[in-house]
């Protein structure tokens, strides 16, 4: 596995952010996420925000790329906002990512500069346990 630290992963996510209005109803790229997998690959994604709530989060987009590449085990994750600041995944993303692999609860998540917790710590009362 490639050794990628959080600073590198954070920089990848920052380079992925690109806020853009596609139409009167859709904005994209205001949040970007980067996922490091067990095999050392990095997958990125951006959010798609629609007027009728049919969009999805950057973490979902990155996870979809990961699953498409036939991977599921997350080692590290970071998401950033427009300004490039790390932000924690929303509750929906936390649950979604935790269900993709039984060991994803051990994934390290940067929730703000210098603060790294596990996905399990973000889901202290996990219904699956």
């Amino acid at each position: 596995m490639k050794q990628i630290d959080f600073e590198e992963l954070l920089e990848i996510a920052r380079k992925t952010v690109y806020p853009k209005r596609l139409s009167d109803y859709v904005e994209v790229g205001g949040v970007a996420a980067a996922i490091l997998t067990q095999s050392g690959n990095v997958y990125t994604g951006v959010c798609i925000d629609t007027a009728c709530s049919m969009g999805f989060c950057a973490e979902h987009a990155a996870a979809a790329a990961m699953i498409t590449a036939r991977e599921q085990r997350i080692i590290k994750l970071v998401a950033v906002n427009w300004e490039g600041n790390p932000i924690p995944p929303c509750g929906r993303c936390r649950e979604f990512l935790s269900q993709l692999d039984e060991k994803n609860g051990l994934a390290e998540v940067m929730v703000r500069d210098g603060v790294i917790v596990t996905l399990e710590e973000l889901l202290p009362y996990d219904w699956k346990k």
Side-chain angles (χ1 to χ4, degrees):
M1 177 176 87
K2 288 186 237 174
Q3 294 298 324
I4 294 178
D5 64 22
F6 266 105
E7 287 308 312
E8 291 175 90
L9 202 60
L10 183 59
E11 191 56 33
I12 291 168
R14 286 177 173 155
K15 288 179 180 177
T16 305
V17 168
Y18 75 99
K20 181 177 179 180
R21 180 175 284 283
L22 297 183
S23 70
D24 288 342
Y25 309 105
V26 179
E27 292 180 357
V28 300
V31 173
I35 290 174
L36 173 67
T37 63
Q38 184 173 19
S39 65
N41 294 313
V42 175
Y43 298 95
T44 60
V46 297
C47 65
I48 299 177
D49 297 317
T50 66
C52 59
S53 301
M54 289 193 317
F56 49 84
C57 298
E59 295 90 340
H60 274 73
M66 173 185 73
I67 295 295
T68 300
R70 294 174 171 73
E71 294 196 63
Q72 65 194 53
R73 176 73 166 88
I74 299 168
I75 300 301
K76 295 180 183 175
L77 164 72
V78 65
V80 297
N81 62 15
W82 289 28
E83 293 82 28
N85 298 318
I87 57 174
C90 72
R92 180 175 180 248
C93 287
R94 295 172 193 192
E95 182 62 39
F96 176 73
L97 297 171
S98 77
Q99 290 187 36
L100 298 179
D101 188 282
E102 64 183 27
K103 294 183 181 175
N104 280 350
L106 303 174
E108 295 179 312
V109 182
M110 179 180 276
V111 294
R112 49 181 176 260
D113 280 323
V115 179
I116 297 166
V117 299
T118 65
L119 187 57
E120 197 169 72
E121 289 173 300
L122 292 173
L123 290 166
Y125 301 102
D126 190 349
W127 64 273
K128 295 181 298 302
K129 295 184 178 178

